[in-house]
Amino acid sequence: MRTIESLGSLSAKTVIVRCDLNVPLADGVITDDGRIRASLATVTELREAGAKIVLISHLGRPKGEPEARFSLRPVAERMSELLGAPVQFVGETVGEAATAAAAALQGGEVLLLENLRFNPGETSKDDAERAAFAQQLAALGDVFVSDGFGVVHRRQASVYELAKLLPSAAGRLVAAELEVLERLTERAERPYAVVLGGSKVSDKLGVISHLIERVDTLLIGGGMLFTFLAAQGHRVGASLLEADQLDTVRGYLATAAERGVEIVLPSDVVVAEAFAADAAHEVVAADAIESSAFGAAGIGLDIGPASAQRFAEVIAESRTVFWNGPMGVFEMPAFANGTRTVADALTKTAGFTVVGGGDSAAAVRALGFTDDQFGHISTGGGASLEFLEGKQLPGLEVLA
Ligand code: ADP
Ligand code: MG
């Protein structure tokens, strides 16, 4: 893949950098600035090279038109603090003001444009619409650096089409993320354990068929564990369940057994009366969820303490651990214990550990862990999973 070196001298050149500055916001305040921090390496290097820097990003999922709550303005402020240098902001992505601001940049200066997804062309299903928007973006600069790792699996105008219109290369974050993922796919030390959880069950099931070929142990927690329990014939009350995936999951269990890959399912679960922080809850055996006081109305919101302990033991014995997806509804303290125990085990194992996924990364930070306690915290959940699935990622293909 082409790196920044391939672009030659960048002094006084206008470099458009696609970042992933999609940070979580609560009432306009950034609650986790991990993705801004992760973008600094490339921006700093380009500043030192004397480039004029135009940053572009999306934030949230606006539907192709401006929506104040998805403005990148607070991100410009935070980035400026972290960078120790001004970051100008323009309230549009393309247009007269954006063009004028980009043209006025001096070497080493940084400009952030407004949310790409305020423009329908960014995520349009129509190839021509995306290409037309990419043309407008390309007109703002001389070269393109792709550094939004969280979006490299998307065929979107600023990720894919734009890279074809200008001399382009991967930024430092994308390069660093790929190095870690290659270590996981090509050079993983055994035993290799993967911990899967979270709520996007059907999104994540795909990665399992691929991982069964490569790992020694799969630990299943989070929302997807109930589809596994149901596939084994157990009743799961009102827990998250993807009924149309039962046969797929039975297939995974059979393949894993044939290949000698261990799929560890929780033996106990925290079941709650309702999906609420203060809901009554109790620990029950995973194969008897409806035996709780809440019967068929009970909702499984975390793995139980015995399961968390078992997961921690497997992690302690592993040389490589990849983790995606919280073990429970960690946002509610009563259901954060499984996630905390798994995170803690990752910080203690001698093995190489990678945490992928927006909510997983936010979870470890919210629980008081720091980035340096892990081998790597990836900025891209979907992108890293698709890479591990062995899929071709459009945003990387175009940089080859
Ligand atoms: P990531 O962003 O790390 O890939 P996901 O987006 O798939 O993770 O899932 C994160 C969400 O999963 C969290 O908001 C968490 O509350 C939720 N979750 C975890 N376990 C459960 C469960 N048992 N039932 C419902 N939601 C769950
Ligand atoms: Mg998520």
Side-chain angles (χ1 to χ4, degrees):
M1 209 169 43
R2 295 187 301 275
T3 56
I4 292 176
E5 287 74 21
S6 72
L7 299 171
S9 166
L10 295 173
S11 174
K13 280 200 187 149
T14 304
V15 183
I16 303 174
V17 187
R18 174 46 157 119
C19 295
D20 174 6
L21 303 173
N22 182 25
V23 292
L25 288 165
D27 300 320
V29 177
I30 297 166
T31 53
D32 178 28
D33 62 8
R35 282 180 163 160
I36 305 177
R37 291 175 186 274
S39 305
L40 296 177
T42 297
V43 176
T44 303
E45 187 175 331
L46 293 174
R47 287 189 69 224
E48 284 166 3
K52 306 170 178 179
I53 303 157
V54 178
L55 303 178
I56 52 176
S57 176
H58 73 289
L59 188 135
R61 298 194 167 191
K63 298 274 171 287
E65 54 184 68
E67 234 181 293
R69 67 192 170 112
F70 293 123
S71 174
L72 279 165
R73 189 180 290 277
V75 172
E77 277 168 36
R78 185 79 189 108
M79 181 177 272
S80 174
E81 286 165 22
L82 292 169
L83 206 58
V87 173
Q88 295 175 54
F89 180 77
V90 178
E92 64 178 19
T93 322
V94 293
E96 271 172 43
T99 304
L105 284 172
Q106 300 293 312
E109 289 183 351
V110 185
L111 167 69
L112 173 63
L113 302 176
E114 185 55 289
N115 196 337
L116 287 157
R117 292 188 187 169
F118 287 177
N119 306 270
E122 171 66 358
T123 58
S124 172
K125 297 266 176 285
D126 183 314
D127 292 356
E129 274 176 37
R130 286 199 315 277
F133 182 54
Q135 285 284 359
Q136 288 181 284
L137 293 170
L140 296 167
D142 305 311
V143 299
F144 175 62
V145 170
S146 179
D147 212 26
F149 180 71
V151 287
V152 290
H153 59 312
R154 307 276 185 215
R155 193 178 291 269
Q156 295 176 345
S158 69
V159 178
Y160 184 73
E161 279 82 9
L162 176 57
K164 297 208 240 181
L165 294 173
L166 292 175
S168 59
R172 299 307 181 203
L173 175 62
V174 163
E177 294 268 16
L178 276 183
E179 207 177 292
V180 169
L181 290 176
E182 276 162 7
R183 182 163 167 190
L184 291 183
T185 47
E186 291 159 18
R187 294 169 270 133
E189 271 186 65
R190 317 298 286 249
Y192 181 1
V194 170
V195 192
L196 289 177
S199 57
K200 293 181 203 158
V201 181
S202 39
D203 275 15
K204 296 183 183 192
L205 287 176
V207 74
I208 294 178
S209 59
H210 192 75
L211 288 173
I212 288 174
E213 318 255 327
R214 291 164 191 264
V215 307
D216 302 298
T217 313
L218 265 174
L219 304 165
I220 307 286
M224 76 171 68
L225 80 90
F226 305 101
T227 305
F228 277 80
L229 291 175
Q232 292 182 324
H234 305 304
R235 303 175 68 91
V236 297
S239 308
L240 203 63
L241 172 66
E242 302 224 0
D244 57 347
Q245 301 289 333
L246 290 174
D247 284 337
T248 312
V249 166
R250 283 187 198 109
Y252 293 152
L253 290 167
T255 316
E258 272 164 37
R259 295 188 174 266
V261 171
E262 200 188 356
I263 295 189
V264 183
L265 293 173
S267 57
D268 58 350
V269 173
V270 182
V271 176
E273 188 170 25
F275 191 94
D278 59 355
H281 54 276
E282 61 182 85
V283 176
V284 293
D287 58 6
I289 287 178
E290 296 190 0
S291 74
S292 84
F294 323 117
I299 314 174
L301 294 185
D302 194 9
I303 61 173
S307 311
Q309 209 42 56
R310 169 93 179 95
F311 284 20
E313 283 162 19
V314 173
I315 292 166
E317 289 159 10
S318 300
R319 294 294 308 162
T320 305
V321 186
F322 174 77
W323 175 26
N324 170 263
M327 295 294 96
V329 182
F330 72 93
E331 297 91 336
M332 305 176 186
F335 311 110
N337 292 325
T339 304
R340 185 183 294 107
T341 301
V342 163
D344 189 58
L346 258 78
T347 67
K348 290 184 175 141
T349 180
F352 177 57
T353 58
V354 179
V355 181
D359 290 292
S360 308
V364 298
R365 295 187 189 118
L367 293 172
F369 297 94
T370 53
D371 290 29
D372 58 4
Q373 292 179 284
F374 302 90
H376 180 73
I377 298 191
S378 176
T379 52
S384 46
L385 285 178
E386 288 198 16
F387 188 94
L388 292 181
E389 272 177 67
K391 287 189 183 159
Q392 294 285 341
L393 309 189
L396 297 180
E397 245 178 295
V398 76
L399 305 173

